[in-house]
Amino acid sequence: MPRIKRMPFYFFMLDVQKKHAERGQRYSLKEMPEIAGPLWTGMSKEDKKPYEERAKAHNASQSSASSSGYNIKTCHGIDYTEIQKEQRQVASEQQQMKRGVSEMISKAILSKKIATMSFFVIHINYFCEYKGSEGEQKFDAAELAILEFSLADGIGREEMELENSPVPGWFNGS
């Protein structure tokens, strides 16, 4: 539903329309300004106050809804605020990881151990992604490749496993 700012008169028209409907007289909202207009003009500020409060509450809820992304969903029914939150989280984690790697390399350079330092490249392809029994994200692995290298020795150990095979023993410490 579009977010439309409503004036107090709108809520007054709805009440007048409802009262007429209770008496069996049905009018469209398009006809209501002509019917409710003269009544509204003759009302005191005090009589208009409840309608002003309803309009203010409605408009406040509409503006907070639009600023929070409420009710704006993808074609899959996922709220855009959740997607944006997830994207910010991923970006933050990537920045944190980049800072960690940069710091680790800087320390290795300063300690003159960069040439012998081992680096690991891990590549994973998976068949499918699903939610576990407790809602955690799980993957069925299809391919796992691990490569160790250093600047001094080049490529060291490498391993590639297919279809749910376990992680190589040399990598997990066994």
Side-chain angles (χ1 to χ4, degrees):
M1 176 174 258
R3 290 170 183 80
I4 298 171
K5 185 176 178 180
R6 299 290 184 194
M7 302 303 287
F9 180 66
Y10 172 80
F11 294 99
F12 176 70
M13 284 191 317
L14 292 179
D15 282 356
V16 172
Q17 184 184 40
K18 184 179 176 184
K19 287 176 186 169
H20 279 284
E22 288 169 357
R23 288 187 252 145
Q25 300 169 321
R26 305 237 183 260
Y27 295 102
S28 69
L29 202 53
K30 194 174 184 179
E31 298 170 296
M32 288 312 299
E34 193 175 309
I35 297 165
L39 299 171
W40 179 259
T41 306
M43 289 174 65
S44 68
K45 284 193 181 266
E46 195 60 37
D47 291 336
K48 291 179 181 180
K49 197 167 197 110
Y51 300 104
E52 290 169 353
E53 289 170 3
R54 281 173 63 186
K56 186 176 181 181
H58 170 81
N59 294 334
S61 72
Q62 290 294 303
S63 68
S64 68
S66 64
S67 67
S68 69
Y70 177 78
N71 232 7
I72 300 174
K73 300 193 184 302
T74 67
C75 61
H76 300 290
I78 301 168
D79 195 321
Y80 271 114
T81 56
E82 290 301 314
I83 292 172
Q84 290 169 336
K85 189 167 111 178
E86 193 175 294
Q87 288 173 338
R88 283 191 300 272
Q89 179 68 27
V90 166
S92 173
E93 289 170 0
Q94 287 175 346
Q95 277 300 109
Q96 187 176 355
M97 186 171 36
K98 286 176 184 179
R99 280 193 299 270
V101 169
S102 180
E103 188 176 305
M104 179 180 64
I105 290 172
S106 294
K107 285 180 181 178
I109 290 170
L110 290 173
S111 65
K112 301 189 188 296
K113 294 182 181 178
I114 190 74
T116 58
M117 186 176 190
S118 288
F119 294 90
F120 292 90
V121 175
I122 302 172
H123 176 78
I124 301 172
N125 283 327
Y126 55 89
F127 286 127
C128 67
E129 172 184 352
Y130 62 96
K131 300 282 185 197
S133 60
E134 296 181 21
E136 72 278 12
Q137 192 173 22
K138 292 194 159 218
F139 303 92
D140 278 341
E143 176 185 45
L144 171 67
I146 302 173
L147 172 72
E148 177 186 20
F149 74 95
S150 70
L151 295 175
D153 300 327
I155 295 175
R157 297 174 285 183
E158 59 184 286
E159 185 77 30
M160 186 170 138
E161 300 287 336
L162 298 172
E163 297 183 38
N164 287 329
S165 299
V167 174
W170 63 265
F171 183 75
N172 65 16
S174 49

